[in-house]
Amino acid sequence: MRLDKFLADSALGSRSEIKNTIKKGGVTVNSVTVKDAGFRVDEKDAVTYMGQAVAYTPFIYLMMNKPAGVISATEDKTKKTVLSLIDKKYAHYNLFPVGRLDIDTVGLLILSNDGEMAHKALSPKFHVEKTYYVETEKEITEDDKAAFTEGVYIAGGTKTLPAKLSVLSEKSANLSITEGKFHQVKLMFESRGNKVTYLKRIKFGNLKLDDALKEGEYRPLKPDESIF
Ligand code: URA
């Protein structure tokens, strides 16, 4: 592939910033300075960018603390999307949100270009656990806990799989589910005659929302972080 693509894929900057650095002699390939952005390289080449070795990364994984008011889509005619919050240096990756959170739901959302990972994370076959912090209009009871463990009927008459409810206070709880039906958490509480007033995803598989991320902020996953 072209040298400028190789470097852009490694999230070192925008294509034009990268081209400039190449022109100025800031890039070496196998210890030789290369000033041609179209120079062909592959993963086996040793590339440095402003003195730093570059590890080629075709896939990228961002953890976002999704704010309310944006939709989990790549584009929309009228509403602001989560993609509009991402710096343009990631534009060439063709990122997409891994699963959906409602417009008013906040919290952990992964953005990636790794389709295989997304399929595994979302496939009903793999039962990846997601945990939500929930606040409700009315009291959450021990009966709700028993009902969610047993499964409740939501829209369309489908029964939910066993879910774990940890009651935190009169009107707040953590709920862990292993499915991702449309509006599932809200519909589960509705089936109990209650209403969700605040919903935040705090865990997705092995990933915990980074407390340091304010709503709207995001960061790349660390090498040892993964949904699985
Ligand atoms: N369940 C919901 O009801 N909404 C979400 O955004 C996620 C899970």
Side-chain angles (χ1 to χ4, degrees):
M1 84 191 74
R2 291 173 56 97
L3 180 59
D4 55 354
K5 179 174 187 328
F6 180 100
L7 293 166
D9 279 355
S10 304
L12 291 162
S14 69
R15 201 78 167 234
S16 61
E17 282 163 2
I18 286 168
K19 277 189 171 151
N20 244 329
T21 307
I22 296 172
K23 228 191 257 167
K24 286 190 192 136
V27 175
T28 67
V29 179
N30 304 324
S31 308
V32 178
T33 301
V34 173
K35 293 190 174 177
D36 171 11
F39 188 81
R40 309 299 292 183
V41 287
D42 63 33
E43 303 93 273
K44 291 190 284 301
D45 289 308
V47 179
T48 69
Y49 187 81
M50 301 204 294
Q52 299 290 314
V54 178
Y56 180 63
T57 48
F59 292 129
I60 188 145
Y61 310 90
L62 301 178
M63 173 192 288
M64 175 186 278
N65 184 355
K66 178 194 170 293
V70 296
I71 60 164
S72 306
T74 49
E75 49 186 32
D76 192 83
K77 287 207 178 74
T78 52
K79 297 193 185 76
K80 205 171 155 182
T81 70
V82 285
L83 258 301
S84 72
L85 303 174
I86 303 292
D87 191 283
K88 69 177 187 327
K89 77 175 178 189
Y90 294 107
H92 64 284
Y93 276 114
N94 300 319
L95 289 168
F96 55 83
V98 178
R100 280 168 188 268
L101 292 177
D102 297 336
I103 192 162
D104 55 349
T105 301
V106 300
L108 177 53
L109 184 70
I110 299 300
L111 295 132
S112 181
N113 57 350
D114 183 347
E116 206 174 308
M117 178 281 296
H119 174 72
K120 201 172 155 196
L122 302 172
S123 162
K125 262 205 320 229
F126 291 99
H127 298 301
V128 176
E129 188 175 82
K130 284 140 285 198
T131 302
Y132 295 85
Y133 167 76
V134 189
E135 290 178 8
T136 55
E137 205 170 77
K138 296 184 197 156
E139 193 183 339
I140 303 167
T141 65
E142 284 302 311
D143 285 351
D144 294 331
K145 191 170 169 166
F148 290 162
T149 305
E150 167 63 28
V152 290
Y153 289 93
I154 58 172
T158 44
K159 193 178 179 191
T160 56
L161 289 174
K164 283 180 257 168
L165 183 74
S166 316
V167 181
L168 301 172
S169 72
E170 198 189 356
K171 295 178 183 176
S172 71
N174 285 339
L175 178 65
S176 298
I177 59 175
T178 58
E179 315 166 89
K181 295 195 162 69
F182 194 49
H183 299 320
Q184 180 158 345
V185 175
K186 290 174 186 163
L187 292 175
M188 286 174 73
F189 278 92
E190 248 171 55
S191 80
R192 300 291 305 155
N194 206 340
K195 190 171 185 304
V196 171
T197 54
Y198 178 82
L199 188 57
K200 177 180 187 175
R201 182 153 67 190
I202 54 174
K203 268 194 91 185
F204 192 161
N206 292 328
L207 285 178
K208 231 178 119 247
L209 178 64
D210 185 339
D211 291 337
L213 291 176
K214 297 196 188 82
E215 285 180 16
E217 289 183 344
Y218 59 91
R219 65 157 172 83
L221 289 188
K222 296 174 188 154
D224 62 339
E225 288 180 321
S226 159
I227 289 177
F228 312 104

